[in-house]
Amino acid sequence: MSRATRLLDLLQLLRRHRYPVAGAELARELEISLRTLYRDIAALQAQGAHIEGEPGVGYVLRPGYMLPPLMLSPEELEALVLGARWVSDRGDARLGAAAQNALTKIVAVLPKDLADELDSTGLMVVPSWSAPRAQVDLGDVRQSIRSECRVTVRYVDLKEQATERVVWPIALGFFEHVRIVVVWCELRQAFRHLRADRIVAWEPIAGRYPKRRTALMKAWKIEREEENARYEADYPRPDEMATVQ
């Protein structure tokens, strides 16, 4: 690996972490010595990268530093193409168009030989069984998630019972055969999972909901983990049955 490539890899690694990372961990992931890591960090700092930290404490790249144009590896290029194709097939119309636009912008700055590989890549996304069509614009749902706003929804459950409630949308899950909106329900004072195709009205309310979405996501993940642990305790996998005798 050339030194230039190694420096770019170090920057990319630092960008993935929001909090200080130990030098030993960075060196391990880059497969270099600590001495080499310290020299590389000093070189990047000299070039204007705002890297804070010191040996024994950890390092973090502060926002504001713009990376130079990066050369994509064949696998990185395949990952981008495959991801864009998946979103185009599984996402809603607006999200699919955004994926194609993003890929076009990336292609525009690639060297010609790499750009040509986009047309010849052997990775394909097989068309999926069409999921039930959402009755509301999923672009509006995503906007509500980003802006953390309360929403009045009218929902028809699997028993065809209609309800109206105020929710705090926090995530949109793209499953193979259904789209699920994760919300905090003010009526039930609990997290709920609403099928997008059964939401018949989505009306944002002015103003943000009182908690931050990151905190709600963390609480939701903890709840999911606890439920999964209880399920696994009640229904162990076949390879664990011998230990439950």
Side-chain angles (χ1 to χ4, degrees):
M1 179 187 300
S2 69
R3 186 165 187 264
T5 300
R6 192 176 69 240
L7 292 178
L8 289 176
D9 286 347
L10 174 55
L11 280 173
Q12 291 287 69
L13 184 56
L14 286 168
R15 291 184 72 189
R16 293 204 301 266
H17 295 277
R18 297 174 57 187
Y19 302 102
V21 188
E25 176 64 17
L26 294 172
R28 184 188 64 79
E29 292 200 40
L30 294 170
E31 298 182 348
I32 59 177
S33 67
L34 270 175
R35 179 177 295 181
T36 299
L37 175 74
Y38 297 149
R39 286 201 302 263
D40 288 350
I41 288 177
L44 289 173
Q45 290 172 329
Q47 295 174 22
H50 193 186
I51 300 174
E52 295 182 355
E54 58 186 45
V57 176
Y59 297 92
V60 63
L61 177 65
R62 295 302 180 190
Y65 181 71
M66 299 298 294
L67 289 174
L70 297 179
M71 182 72 71
L72 294 175
S73 70
E75 287 191 344
E76 290 171 336
L77 186 61
E78 288 179 341
L80 288 173
V81 173
L82 186 62
R85 290 176 177 173
W86 192 97
V87 172
S88 295
D89 181 70
R90 267 65 167 184
D92 57 86
R94 287 164 61 179
L95 200 60
Q100 290 299 322
N101 290 339
L103 194 57
T104 299
K105 292 177 181 178
I106 292 171
V107 173
V109 298
L110 286 176
K112 187 178 184 306
D113 58 336
L114 283 181
D116 290 342
E117 289 189 21
L118 286 177
D119 295 326
S120 60
T121 180
L123 301 181
M124 299 183 297
V125 173
V126 178
S128 65
W129 173 78
S130 58
R133 183 178 296 276
Q135 300 185 55
V136 297
D137 189 337
L138 292 185
D140 293 340
V141 174
R142 296 196 307 274
Q143 177 57 43
S144 297
I145 292 172
R146 288 193 297 268
S147 58
E148 301 182 352
C149 72
R150 298 167 68 234
V151 177
T152 299
V153 299
R154 287 199 293 278
Y155 187 74
V156 179
D157 64 20
L158 294 175
K159 297 180 180 178
E160 301 303 326
Q161 295 180 338
T163 60
E164 182 172 306
R165 63 189 71 185
V166 175
V167 300
W168 308 348
I170 64 172
L172 175 59
F174 287 80
F175 293 84
E176 187 67 20
H177 302 311
V178 71
R179 309 293 177 254
I180 298 293
V181 185
V182 182
V183 303
W184 172 265
C185 176
E186 291 188 1
L187 175 65
R188 302 300 183 189
Q189 287 294 293
F191 291 109
R192 288 293 184 264
H193 304 90
L194 309 180
R195 283 180 47 158
D197 59 296
R198 291 190 164 271
I199 299 174
V200 297
W202 183 272
E203 301 172 4
I205 302 172
R208 294 171 58 174
Y209 43 72
K211 293 185 179 180
R212 297 311 304 264
R213 188 171 66 89
T214 52
L216 290 169
M217 281 292 295
K218 182 177 180 180
W220 174 76
K221 289 178 180 178
I222 292 174
E223 185 176 289
R224 294 299 97 200
E225 291 172 355
E226 291 175 346
E227 287 190 4
N228 289 339
R230 289 194 295 269
Y231 180 86
E232 291 180 358
D234 293 336
Y235 303 98
R237 295 190 299 270
D239 58 348
E240 296 176 345
M241 292 298 292
T243 63
V244 185
Q245 300 300 327

